Amino acid sequence: MKEPEIRKLDVFLETILFSEGKVLDKPLLKCAVAVVIKNPLAGSYQENLDELSEYGEYLGGYLTKKAIEKMHIDAEEIESFGKACIVGVNGEHEHAAALLHPPLGAPMREALHGGKAIIPSAKKIAAAGATLDVPLLHKNAMLVKSHYDAITIRIPDAPRPDEIVVAVAFANGGRPNARVGGIKASEIKCINGLD
Amino acid sequence: MDLIIRKQVVIIDEVRSEIYRRLDLPLVKCASIAVVKNPFLDKVIDDFSGYTEYGEKLGKILLDSALKALDVTEDKIQSYGKAAITGIDGEQEHGSALIHVGFDTPIRETIKNTYSLIPSSEKSAGPGCSIDVPLHSKVAVKVRTHFDAMEVWVQDSPHPDEIMVILALAQGSRPFPRVGGLLWDDVKNFDGMS
Protein backbone atom coordinates (compact mmCIF):
# COMPACT_ATOMS: atom_id res chain seq x y z
CA MET A 1 0.00 0.00 0.00
CA LYS A 2 1.36 3.41 -0.93
CA GLU A 3 -0.11 6.90 -0.67
CA PRO A 4 -0.08 8.70 -4.03
CA GLU A 5 0.60 12.39 -4.55
CA ILE A 6 -2.94 13.82 -4.45
CA ARG A 7 -3.37 17.16 -6.22
CA LYS A 8 -7.02 17.49 -5.39
CA LEU A 9 -9.97 15.74 -3.84
CA ASP A 10 -13.47 16.24 -5.20
CA VAL A 11 -16.76 15.22 -3.59
CA PHE A 12 -20.08 15.02 -5.44
CA LEU A 13 -23.06 14.52 -3.17
CA GLU A 14 -26.57 14.24 -4.63
CA THR A 15 -29.79 14.04 -2.65
CA ILE A 16 -32.81 13.22 -4.79
CA LEU A 17 -35.97 14.29 -3.01
CA PHE A 18 -38.69 14.34 -5.65
CA SER A 19 -39.37 12.29 -8.73
CA GLU A 20 -42.24 12.00 -11.23
CA GLY A 21 -44.69 14.17 -9.38
CA LYS A 22 -44.12 12.89 -5.87
CA VAL A 23 -41.86 13.32 -2.89
CA LEU A 24 -39.79 10.17 -2.34
CA ASP A 25 -40.48 8.28 0.91
CA LYS A 26 -36.75 8.05 1.46
CA PRO A 27 -34.44 10.55 -0.25
CA LEU A 28 -31.92 8.82 -2.51
CA LEU A 29 -28.41 9.76 -1.52
CA LYS A 30 -25.64 9.23 -4.06
CA CYS A 31 -22.04 10.19 -3.52
CA ALA A 32 -18.89 10.01 -5.61
CA VAL A 33 -15.48 10.87 -4.22
CA ALA A 34 -12.56 11.34 -6.60
CA VAL A 35 -8.90 12.12 -6.25
CA VAL A 36 -6.61 13.54 -8.90
CA ILE A 37 -3.21 11.86 -8.65
CA LYS A 38 0.02 12.08 -10.57
CA ASN A 39 0.51 9.17 -12.97
CA PRO A 40 4.09 8.02 -12.29
CA LEU A 41 4.06 5.93 -15.48
CA ALA A 42 2.82 8.63 -17.89
CA GLY A 43 4.75 8.99 -21.11
CA SER A 44 6.54 5.64 -21.21
CA TYR A 45 5.66 1.96 -21.57
CA GLN A 46 6.29 -0.04 -18.40
CA GLU A 47 5.76 -3.76 -18.12
CA ASN A 48 5.35 -3.60 -14.36
CA LEU A 49 2.35 -1.65 -13.06
CA ASP A 50 2.75 -2.50 -9.36
CA GLU A 51 3.20 1.12 -8.27
CA LEU A 52 -0.29 1.97 -9.48
CA SER A 53 -1.74 -1.11 -7.81
CA GLU A 54 -0.19 -0.01 -4.53
CA TYR A 55 -1.92 3.36 -4.94
CA GLY A 56 -5.19 1.54 -5.63
CA GLU A 57 -4.90 -0.41 -2.41
CA TYR A 58 -4.49 2.83 -0.45
CA LEU A 59 -7.26 4.66 -2.29
CA GLY A 60 -9.92 1.94 -1.92
CA GLY A 61 -10.11 2.47 1.81
CA TYR A 62 -9.33 6.19 1.81
CA LEU A 63 -12.01 7.15 -0.72
CA THR A 64 -14.65 4.86 0.77
CA LYS A 65 -14.18 6.26 4.27
CA LYS A 66 -14.31 9.81 2.89
CA ALA A 67 -17.59 9.03 1.07
CA ILE A 68 -19.20 7.52 4.18
CA GLU A 69 -18.15 10.60 6.16
CA LYS A 70 -19.59 13.00 3.59
CA MET A 71 -22.86 11.05 3.27
CA HIS A 72 -23.32 11.30 7.06
CA ILE A 73 -24.66 7.75 7.24
CA ASP A 74 -23.48 4.43 8.66
CA ALA A 75 -21.50 2.16 6.35
CA GLU A 76 -24.26 -0.45 6.65
CA GLU A 77 -26.80 1.96 5.10
CA ILE A 78 -24.92 1.98 1.80
CA GLU A 79 -26.66 -0.34 -0.64
CA SER A 80 -24.76 0.06 -3.89
CA PHE A 81 -21.25 0.79 -5.08
CA GLY A 82 -19.04 1.40 -8.11
CA LYS A 83 -15.57 2.60 -9.16
CA ALA A 84 -14.03 4.33 -12.18
CA CYS A 85 -10.94 6.03 -13.59
CA ILE A 86 -9.98 8.60 -16.17
CA VAL A 87 -6.38 8.36 -17.31
CA GLY A 88 -4.87 11.57 -18.69
CA VAL A 89 -3.78 11.45 -22.31
CA ASN A 90 -0.11 10.69 -21.59
CA GLY A 91 -1.10 7.46 -19.86
CA GLU A 92 -2.58 4.21 -21.09
CA HIS A 93 -5.82 2.31 -20.50
CA GLU A 94 -3.99 -0.40 -18.59
CA HIS A 95 -2.96 2.14 -15.94
CA ALA A 96 -6.63 2.42 -14.97
CA ALA A 97 -6.88 -1.37 -14.79
CA ALA A 98 -3.83 -1.56 -12.52
CA LEU A 99 -5.42 0.94 -10.14
CA LEU A 100 -8.93 -0.48 -10.15
CA HIS A 101 -8.75 -4.22 -10.52
CA PRO A 102 -6.32 -6.05 -8.37
CA PRO A 103 -6.29 -3.83 -5.29
CA LEU A 104 -9.08 -1.27 -4.91
CA GLY A 105 -12.00 -3.59 -4.08
CA ALA A 106 -10.88 -5.34 -0.89
CA PRO A 107 -10.31 -2.17 1.15
CA MET A 108 -13.62 -0.76 -0.18
CA ARG A 109 -15.45 -3.84 1.12
CA GLU A 110 -13.57 -3.63 4.39
CA ALA A 111 -14.61 0.00 4.93
CA LEU A 112 -18.21 -0.92 4.06
CA HIS A 113 -18.15 -3.92 6.42
CA GLY A 114 -19.34 -6.14 3.60
CA GLY A 115 -20.26 -6.36 -0.07
CA LYS A 116 -20.39 -9.71 -1.85
CA ALA A 117 -21.11 -8.54 -5.40
CA ILE A 118 -18.57 -7.52 -8.01
CA ILE A 119 -17.85 -3.76 -7.91
CA PRO A 120 -18.86 -2.41 -11.32
CA SER A 121 -16.28 -0.23 -13.04
CA ALA A 122 -15.65 2.11 -15.95
CA LYS A 123 -12.43 3.46 -17.37
CA LYS A 124 -11.26 5.68 -20.18
CA ILE A 125 -8.50 7.93 -21.43
CA ALA A 126 -9.64 11.52 -21.73
CA ALA A 127 -8.73 15.17 -21.45
CA ALA A 128 -9.38 17.47 -18.51
CA GLY A 129 -13.05 18.18 -17.96
CA ALA A 130 -14.29 14.88 -19.38
CA THR A 131 -17.39 13.44 -17.74
CA LEU A 132 -17.17 10.11 -15.95
CA ASP A 133 -20.19 7.86 -15.40
CA VAL A 134 -19.41 5.78 -12.34
CA PRO A 135 -21.62 2.67 -12.53
CA LEU A 136 -23.53 1.47 -9.47
CA LEU A 137 -25.07 -1.85 -8.51
CA HIS A 138 -26.27 -3.59 -5.34
CA LYS A 139 -23.32 -4.40 -3.09
CA ASN A 140 -24.54 -7.90 -2.26
CA ALA A 141 -26.31 -9.15 -5.38
CA MET A 142 -25.49 -7.98 -8.88
CA LEU A 143 -28.80 -9.18 -10.34
CA VAL A 144 -30.91 -6.71 -8.34
CA LYS A 145 -32.29 -4.59 -11.19
CA SER A 146 -33.60 -1.73 -9.06
CA HIS A 147 -30.04 -0.75 -8.11
CA TYR A 148 -28.49 -0.55 -11.60
CA ASP A 149 -27.59 3.11 -11.76
CA ALA A 150 -24.69 5.55 -12.22
CA ILE A 151 -23.51 8.91 -10.96
CA THR A 152 -21.96 11.31 -13.42
CA ILE A 153 -19.07 13.45 -12.31
CA ARG A 154 -16.78 15.96 -13.94
CA ILE A 155 -13.73 17.88 -12.73
CA PRO A 156 -13.11 20.87 -15.00
CA ASP A 157 -9.29 20.88 -14.66
CA ALA A 158 -8.56 17.16 -14.40
CA PRO A 159 -7.03 14.91 -15.47
CA ARG A 160 -4.07 16.82 -16.82
CA PRO A 161 -2.09 14.72 -19.34
CA ASP A 162 0.12 13.16 -16.66
CA GLU A 163 -2.62 12.60 -14.09
CA ILE A 164 -5.31 10.05 -13.26
CA VAL A 165 -8.76 10.65 -11.75
CA VAL A 166 -9.75 7.77 -9.47
CA ALA A 167 -13.35 7.69 -8.25
CA VAL A 168 -15.57 5.51 -6.10
CA ALA A 169 -19.32 5.95 -5.75
CA PHE A 170 -22.05 4.79 -3.41
CA ALA A 171 -25.82 5.09 -2.97
CA ASN A 172 -28.19 4.38 -0.12
CA GLY A 173 -30.83 2.83 -2.39
CA GLY A 174 -31.98 1.97 -5.89
CA ARG A 175 -33.35 4.24 -8.61
CA PRO A 176 -36.30 6.46 -7.68
CA ASN A 177 -39.57 4.64 -8.49
CA ALA A 178 -37.67 1.60 -9.89
CA ARG A 179 -40.15 -0.65 -11.72
CA VAL A 180 -38.48 -2.89 -14.29
CA GLY A 181 -38.95 -6.09 -12.29
CA GLY A 182 -36.30 -8.68 -11.46
CA ILE A 183 -35.02 -9.76 -8.09
CA LYS A 184 -35.85 -7.32 -5.30
CA ALA A 185 -33.24 -6.14 -2.83
CA SER A 186 -35.44 -7.48 -0.04
CA GLU A 187 -35.37 -10.99 -1.55
CA ILE A 188 -31.65 -11.57 -2.02
CA LYS A 189 -29.94 -14.56 -0.42
CA CYS A 190 -26.68 -12.68 0.02
CA ILE A 191 -24.47 -15.71 -0.57
CA ASN A 192 -22.91 -15.70 -4.01
CA GLY A 193 -22.94 -12.00 -4.94
CA LEU A 194 -25.41 -12.70 -7.73
CA ASP A 195 -28.91 -13.09 -6.30
CA MET B 1 -45.33 29.56 -0.94
CA ASP B 2 -44.79 26.26 -2.65
CA LEU B 3 -41.20 25.38 -3.43
CA ILE B 4 -40.53 21.90 -4.76
CA ILE B 5 -36.90 20.83 -4.53
CA ARG B 6 -36.25 17.87 -6.84
CA LYS B 7 -32.67 17.39 -5.83
CA GLN B 8 -29.81 18.90 -3.93
CA VAL B 9 -26.19 18.54 -4.97
CA VAL B 10 -23.07 19.47 -3.07
CA ILE B 11 -19.73 19.59 -4.85
CA ILE B 12 -16.52 19.98 -2.84
CA ASP B 13 -13.28 20.79 -4.61
CA GLU B 14 -10.22 20.52 -2.37
CA VAL B 15 -6.95 21.65 -3.96
CA ARG B 16 -3.92 20.27 -2.14
CA SER B 17 -1.14 21.22 -4.51
CA GLU B 18 -0.56 23.24 -7.65
CA ILE B 19 1.95 21.98 -10.24
CA TYR B 20 3.04 19.52 -7.55
CA ARG B 21 3.92 22.20 -5.05
CA ARG B 22 2.03 21.42 -1.88
CA LEU B 23 -0.16 24.09 -0.26
CA ASP B 24 0.29 24.63 3.50
CA LEU B 25 -3.49 24.51 3.82
CA PRO B 26 -5.64 22.93 1.12
CA LEU B 27 -7.94 25.37 -0.69
CA VAL B 28 -11.47 24.04 -0.14
CA LYS B 29 -14.26 25.30 -2.36
CA CYS B 30 -17.84 24.14 -2.15
CA ALA B 31 -20.91 24.59 -4.33
CA SER B 32 -24.28 23.87 -2.77
CA ILE B 33 -27.03 23.48 -5.35
CA ALA B 34 -30.80 23.10 -5.29
CA VAL B 35 -32.78 22.16 -8.36
CA VAL B 36 -36.28 23.53 -7.88
CA LYS B 37 -39.47 23.65 -9.90
CA ASN B 38 -39.75 27.15 -11.39
CA PRO B 39 -42.41 28.77 -9.17
CA PHE B 40 -42.98 31.65 -11.60
CA LEU B 41 -43.86 29.73 -14.79
CA ASP B 42 -47.05 30.84 -16.54
CA LYS B 43 -47.38 33.87 -14.29
CA VAL B 44 -47.06 37.48 -15.35
CA ILE B 45 -45.06 39.24 -12.65
CA ASP B 46 -43.98 42.85 -13.07
CA ASP B 47 -42.06 43.10 -9.82
CA PHE B 48 -40.33 40.23 -8.03
CA SER B 49 -39.12 42.30 -5.09
CA GLY B 50 -41.88 41.06 -2.77
CA TYR B 51 -41.08 37.38 -3.35
CA THR B 52 -38.56 37.15 -0.50
CA GLU B 53 -39.68 33.79 0.92
CA TYR B 54 -38.23 31.66 -1.89
CA GLY B 55 -34.83 33.28 -1.69
CA GLU B 56 -34.73 33.19 2.10
CA LYS B 57 -35.61 29.51 2.18
CA LEU B 58 -33.07 28.61 -0.51
CA GLY B 59 -30.29 30.70 1.03
CA LYS B 60 -30.74 28.88 4.33
CA ILE B 61 -30.99 25.38 2.83
CA LEU B 62 -27.96 25.85 0.60
CA LEU B 63 -25.80 27.33 3.35
CA ASP B 64 -26.78 24.62 5.87
CA SER B 65 -26.02 21.87 3.34
CA ALA B 66 -22.66 23.41 2.46
CA LEU B 67 -21.52 23.80 6.08
CA LYS B 68 -22.67 20.26 6.90
CA ALA B 69 -20.81 18.78 3.91
CA LEU B 70 -17.69 20.83 4.62
CA ASP B 71 -17.98 20.02 8.32
CA VAL B 72 -16.77 23.50 9.30
CA THR B 73 -18.13 26.41 11.29
CA GLU B 74 -19.14 29.66 9.57
CA ASP B 75 -15.96 31.52 10.53
CA LYS B 76 -13.91 29.27 8.20
CA ILE B 77 -15.67 30.74 5.15
CA GLN B 78 -13.65 33.52 3.51
CA SER B 79 -15.33 34.06 0.16
CA TYR B 80 -18.66 33.50 -1.52
CA GLY B 81 -20.68 33.74 -4.70
CA LYS B 82 -24.06 32.72 -6.07
CA ALA B 83 -25.65 31.78 -9.39
CA ALA B 84 -28.85 30.67 -11.05
CA ILE B 85 -29.63 28.80 -14.25
CA THR B 86 -33.24 29.05 -15.34
CA GLY B 87 -34.53 26.16 -17.45
CA ILE B 88 -35.54 27.08 -20.98
CA ASP B 89 -39.30 27.25 -20.36
CA GLY B 90 -38.70 30.15 -17.98
CA GLU B 91 -36.98 33.49 -18.32
CA GLN B 92 -33.64 34.51 -16.90
CA GLU B 93 -35.36 36.91 -14.52
CA HIS B 94 -37.03 33.97 -12.71
CA GLY B 95 -33.68 32.61 -11.56
CA SER B 96 -32.46 36.10 -10.77
CA ALA B 97 -35.51 36.60 -8.54
CA LEU B 98 -34.51 33.57 -6.46
CA ILE B 99 -30.93 34.73 -5.82
CA HIS B 100 -31.42 38.49 -5.52
CA VAL B 101 -34.53 38.74 -3.35
CA GLY B 102 -34.19 37.47 0.21
CA PHE B 103 -31.38 35.02 -0.62
CA ASP B 104 -28.58 36.90 1.15
CA THR B 105 -30.46 37.39 4.43
CA PRO B 106 -29.89 33.95 6.02
CA ILE B 107 -26.33 33.90 4.71
CA ARG B 108 -25.44 37.21 6.36
CA GLU B 109 -27.22 36.12 9.54
CA THR B 110 -25.12 32.97 9.80
CA ILE B 111 -21.76 34.02 8.38
CA LYS B 112 -20.42 36.93 10.41
CA ASN B 113 -18.53 39.92 9.00
CA THR B 114 -20.00 39.72 5.51
CA TYR B 115 -19.55 43.30 4.38
CA SER B 116 -19.12 42.78 0.65
CA LEU B 117 -21.70 42.22 -2.06
CA ILE B 118 -22.22 38.54 -2.93
CA PRO B 119 -21.10 38.29 -6.59
CA SER B 120 -23.38 36.43 -8.98
CA SER B 121 -23.80 34.99 -12.45
CA GLU B 122 -27.05 34.00 -14.06
CA LYS B 123 -28.40 32.69 -17.31
CA SER B 124 -31.05 30.54 -18.94
CA ALA B 125 -29.85 27.22 -20.32
CA GLY B 126 -30.60 23.55 -20.88
CA PRO B 127 -29.68 20.61 -18.63
CA GLY B 128 -25.98 19.95 -18.15
CA CYS B 129 -24.88 23.48 -18.93
CA SER B 130 -21.96 24.62 -16.78
CA ILE B 131 -21.92 27.90 -14.93
CA ASP B 132 -18.92 29.70 -13.48
CA VAL B 133 -19.91 30.98 -10.05
CA PRO B 134 -17.78 34.02 -9.17
CA LEU B 135 -16.11 34.20 -5.77
CA HIS B 136 -14.67 37.07 -3.79
CA SER B 137 -13.87 37.99 -0.19
CA LYS B 138 -16.81 38.27 2.20
CA VAL B 139 -15.14 41.21 3.91
CA ALA B 140 -13.99 43.44 1.07
CA VAL B 141 -14.48 43.22 -2.68
CA LYS B 142 -10.96 44.46 -3.40
CA VAL B 143 -9.09 41.62 -1.68
CA ARG B 144 -7.22 40.55 -4.82
CA THR B 145 -6.05 37.16 -3.55
CA HIS B 146 -9.65 35.95 -3.28
CA PHE B 147 -10.95 36.77 -6.79
CA ASP B 148 -11.81 33.31 -8.05
CA ALA B 149 -14.64 31.21 -9.47
CA MET B 150 -15.97 27.69 -9.27
CA GLU B 151 -17.28 25.89 -12.32
CA VAL B 152 -20.45 24.00 -11.51
CA TRP B 153 -22.45 21.57 -13.55
CA VAL B 154 -25.19 19.05 -12.86
CA GLN B 155 -25.72 16.46 -15.58
CA ASP B 156 -29.55 16.47 -15.66
CA SER B 157 -30.34 19.99 -14.51
CA PRO B 158 -32.17 22.26 -14.93
CA HIS B 159 -35.12 20.65 -16.72
CA PRO B 160 -37.03 23.18 -18.86
CA ASP B 161 -39.46 23.89 -16.00
CA GLU B 162 -36.81 24.10 -13.28
CA ILE B 163 -34.31 26.56 -11.83
CA MET B 164 -30.89 25.55 -10.53
CA VAL B 165 -29.77 27.78 -7.66
CA ILE B 166 -26.18 27.73 -6.45
CA LEU B 167 -24.29 29.07 -3.46
CA ALA B 168 -20.50 28.76 -3.68
CA LEU B 169 -18.16 29.17 -0.71
CA ALA B 170 -14.38 29.05 -0.34
CA GLN B 171 -12.16 28.74 2.69
CA GLY B 172 -9.22 30.65 1.28
CA SER B 173 -7.49 32.47 -1.53
CA ARG B 174 -6.36 31.15 -4.90
CA PRO B 175 -3.44 28.73 -4.59
CA PHE B 176 -0.17 30.70 -4.34
CA PRO B 177 -1.67 34.15 -5.10
CA ARG B 178 0.99 36.60 -6.26
CA VAL B 179 -0.56 39.41 -8.27
CA GLY B 180 -0.40 42.00 -5.49
CA GLY B 181 -3.28 44.27 -4.46
CA LEU B 182 -5.17 44.37 -1.18
CA LEU B 183 -4.42 41.42 1.12
CA TRP B 184 -6.91 39.63 3.40
CA ASP B 185 -5.14 40.84 6.56
CA ASP B 186 -4.93 44.48 5.39
CA VAL B 187 -8.65 45.22 5.12
CA LYS B 188 -9.32 48.38 7.17
CA ASN B 189 -12.49 50.15 6.17
CA PHE B 190 -15.12 47.42 6.60
CA ASP B 191 -17.29 49.13 4.03
CA GLY B 192 -17.37 46.03 1.83
CA MET B 193 -14.85 47.50 -0.58
CA SER B 194 -11.39 47.79 0.94
Side-chain angles (χ1 to χ4, degrees):
Chain A
M1 192 189 303
K2 191 171 165 191
E3 185 178 349
E5 174 70 37
I6 296 174
R7 176 165 70 88
K8 61 197 296 195
L9 174 98
D10 286 75
V11 178
F12 302 84
L13 184 65
E14 291 193 13
T15 311
I16 298 153
L17 302 155
F18 186 93
S19 180
E20 304 311 316
K22 59 180 178 186
V23 175
L24 298 175
D25 295 334
K26 174 184 159 192
L28 171 62
L29 198 58
K30 299 204 271 188
C31 181
V33 179
V35 282
V36 182
I37 64 169
K38 187 170 174 70
N39 181 352
L41 308 182
S44 68
Y45 180 88
Q46 303 280 344
E47 195 57 39
N48 186 315
L49 306 176
D50 287 352
E51 189 172 1
L52 291 171
S53 296
E54 287 187 40
Y55 291 163
E57 194 182 350
Y58 173 84
L59 291 171
Y62 178 76
L63 293 173
T64 304
K65 284 176 198 152
K66 185 66 81 173
I68 294 168
E69 176 195 322
K70 292 300 178 188
M71 292 170 89
H72 286 92
I73 62 176
D74 293 330
E76 286 74 14
E77 291 176 73
I78 287 174
E79 292 187 4
S80 53
F81 56 18
K83 58 186 180 180
C85 256
I86 310 176
V87 179
V89 293
N90 283 349
E92 61 169 316
H93 222 75
E94 201 63 5
H95 293 165
L99 269 158
L100 291 177
H101 295 310
L104 200 90
M108 281 177 76
R109 292 177 212 278
E110 196 177 315
L112 288 178
H113 311 139
K116 289 188 168 8
I118 191 166
I119 304 173
S121 63
K123 61 178 76 66
K124 63 182 174 186
I125 294 177
T131 58
L132 181 62
D133 294 315
V134 189
L136 290 166
L137 58 72
H138 195 286
K139 68 177 178 185
N140 283 322
M142 69 178 292
L143 296 178
V144 174
K145 278 191 190 167
S146 57
H147 285 55
Y148 295 147
D149 201 349
I151 177 169
T152 306
I153 66 168
R154 172 174 174 267
I155 305 173
D157 69 344
R160 290 178 182 159
D162 62 347
E163 291 180 334
I164 303 176
V165 174
V166 188
V168 300
F170 303 96
N172 72 342
R175 298 184 306 279
N177 307 319
R179 53 192 187 282
V180 296
I183 298 164
K184 291 190 171 67
S186 56
E187 297 167 350
I188 58 173
K189 297 191 278 288
C190 202
I191 296 168
N192 59 4
L194 280 172
D195 57 11
Chain B
M1 182 194 68
D2 52 334
L3 185 69
I4 298 170
I5 301 177
R6 178 167 64 85
K7 70 193 280 188
Q8 276 190 257
V9 180
V10 175
I11 302 171
I12 298 173
D13 185 51
E14 179 182 314
V15 183
R16 298 183 180 185
S17 65
E18 191 59 277
I19 317 292
Y20 301 104
R21 188 172 161 214
R22 192 163 270 272
L23 291 157
D24 293 335
L25 269 182
L27 166 61
V28 182
K29 297 197 265 189
C30 175
S32 182
I33 303 154
V35 183
V36 303
K37 181 118 173 139
N38 185 338
F40 306 123
L41 276 185
D42 307 321
K43 289 179 189 158
V44 179
I45 298 169
D46 292 327
D47 181 4
F48 287 97
S49 59
Y51 289 84
T52 54
E53 279 182 71
Y54 295 117
E56 281 170 6
K57 184 170 179 182
L58 285 165
K60 178 164 180 16
I61 289 171
L62 295 184
L63 180 59
D64 289 348
S65 300
L67 293 176
K68 182 180 172 191
L70 288 169
D71 199 19
V72 298
T73 46
E74 58 78 24
D75 55 303
K76 294 286 184 285
I77 305 303
Q78 294 193 356
S79 51
Y80 51 25
K82 58 187 178 178
I85 306 179
T86 305
I88 53 173
D89 282 353
E91 56 172 313
Q92 186 185 324
E93 197 68 2
H94 294 163
S96 301
L98 296 186
I99 60 168
H100 293 305
V101 181
F103 187 84
D104 295 3
T105 309
I107 293 163
R108 294 189 193 283
E109 277 171 8
T110 301
I111 305 179
K112 305 299 176 223
N113 306 316
T114 58
Y115 302 106
S116 71
L117 182 109
I118 304 180
S120 64
S121 57
E122 47 235 90
K123 61 184 172 185
S124 177
C129 187
S130 71
I131 188 157
D132 295 311
V133 189
L135 289 164
H136 68 213
S137 157
K138 68 179 179 184
V139 185
V141 169
K142 288 187 176 174
V143 175
R144 202 177 286 173
T145 50
H146 284 57
F147 289 134
D148 200 349
M150 182 169 177
E151 185 180 346
V152 173
W153 159 99
V154 176
Q155 166 83 6
D156 68 346
S157 302
H159 293 175
D161 63 349
E162 292 179 335
I163 301 173
M164 187 165 134
V165 180
I166 304 145
L167 172 69
L169 304 170
Q171 289 177 230
S173 71
R174 295 186 307 278
F176 306 115
R178 50 198 189 278
V179 296
L182 182 63
L183 300 176
W184 175 262
D185 289 331
D186 295 341
V187 173
K188 283 193 227 39
N189 297 331
F190 301 103
D191 58 356
M193 284 303 286
S194 58

